[in-house]
Amino acid sequence: MYKLNSGFRWTCTTQIEREIGAFTFELEERDCDIQELEKHHLHHAANVNHDDENFSHQKLTKSANEKQLEYLLSNLLKYGVLIASSIVLFGGILYLIHHGSEPAEYQVFIGTPSEFHSPIGVVNAVFAGSRRGIIQLGLLILIAIPILRVIISFCTFLLQRNFIYVVITSLVLASLTYSLLGAYY
């Protein structure tokens, strides 16, 4: 049985025959339309690469202020989530140490105590030594991180006089404020 290799050689796959024949194919003269298309493609590719190079230098370089804002916001999100998560974990461990052996009673719904309905109440519960207060404080910090990110972005865009982004971040901040204060009124 014979098969064609990738080098255009016919090889025998049986043990009996061991002859290998090599074939070379010569290309006929190319059509002039194909040559024109190749020239057009090369010319177009050179123009596109030149335009892309100029565009990439304009868009991919960031100013020092943009890099600083990016660094500040990434650290805020990273460390803020780590701190909030560790506070929730600490409060959860303390809660389970104290209440872990109690059976859960699902027959009667017990809502959140009134002391946890406001941020001031949560802080007062933490100072009173409440384990649930520590968990609630971690959750409040976790909620406050994106709000703080929007506030920092708003102030930075205001200092940079980038008024389109000032308007957008002020709308986001107004929406966040309304959603938070709307729960109380």
Side-chain angles (χ1 to χ4, degrees):
M1 176 135 197
Y2 291 96
K3 73 177 188 180
L4 181 64
N5 285 352
S6 62
F8 294 106
R9 294 186 188 147
W10 289 96
T11 58
C12 177
T13 57
T14 62
Q15 295 286 341
I16 299 171
E17 298 180 30
R18 295 193 181 213
E19 290 183 29
I20 299 174
F23 295 105
T24 57
F25 297 104
E26 293 182 22
L27 295 174
E28 296 180 10
E29 188 176 318
R30 293 187 177 191
D31 194 305
C32 101
D33 290 336
I34 293 174
Q35 290 175 354
E36 287 296 319
L37 284 173
E38 285 178 352
K39 286 179 186 176
H40 179 70
H41 176 70
L42 290 175
H43 177 70
H44 180 68
N47 287 342
V48 168
N49 287 339
H50 180 51
D51 292 342
D52 284 344
E53 185 177 304
N54 289 339
F55 180 72
S56 67
H57 286 305
Q58 291 173 355
K59 289 292 184 183
L60 294 181
T61 56
K62 295 180 182 177
S63 68
N65 289 339
E66 288 174 342
K67 289 180 183 178
Q68 187 177 15
L69 175 65
E70 212 172 81
Y71 181 74
L72 175 70
L73 293 178
S74 69
N75 282 336
L76 170 73
L77 294 173
K78 181 175 27 177
Y79 295 121
V81 168
L82 285 174
I83 289 169
S85 300
S86 62
I87 291 172
V88 169
L89 179 67
F90 178 69
I93 290 171
L94 289 178
Y95 185 82
L96 286 176
I97 288 172
H98 192 263
H99 298 286
S101 61
E102 295 175 2
E105 296 179 14
Y106 295 119
Q107 292 83 11
V108 178
F109 176 74
I110 302 171
T112 307
S114 62
E115 61 185 357
F116 299 131
H117 286 211
S118 69
I120 296 170
V122 170
V123 172
N124 290 336
V126 169
F127 286 134
S130 171
R131 292 154 186 87
R132 286 181 69 181
I134 295 172
I135 296 170
Q136 292 287 332
L137 178 67
L139 293 175
L140 278 177
I141 292 172
L142 192 63
I143 291 170
I145 291 168
I147 297 169
L148 187 59
R149 181 192 186 281
V150 172
I151 292 170
I152 290 172
S153 298
F154 176 77
C155 293
T156 304
F157 292 139
L158 195 61
L159 290 174
Q160 291 177 353
R161 298 177 193 259
N162 197 344
F163 295 114
I164 293 173
Y165 290 117
V166 168
V167 170
I168 293 170
T169 53
S170 64
L171 289 173
V172 171
L173 190 59
S175 146
L176 288 171
T177 305
Y178 175 74
S179 67
L180 287 174
L181 295 179
Y184 296 110
Y185 303 109

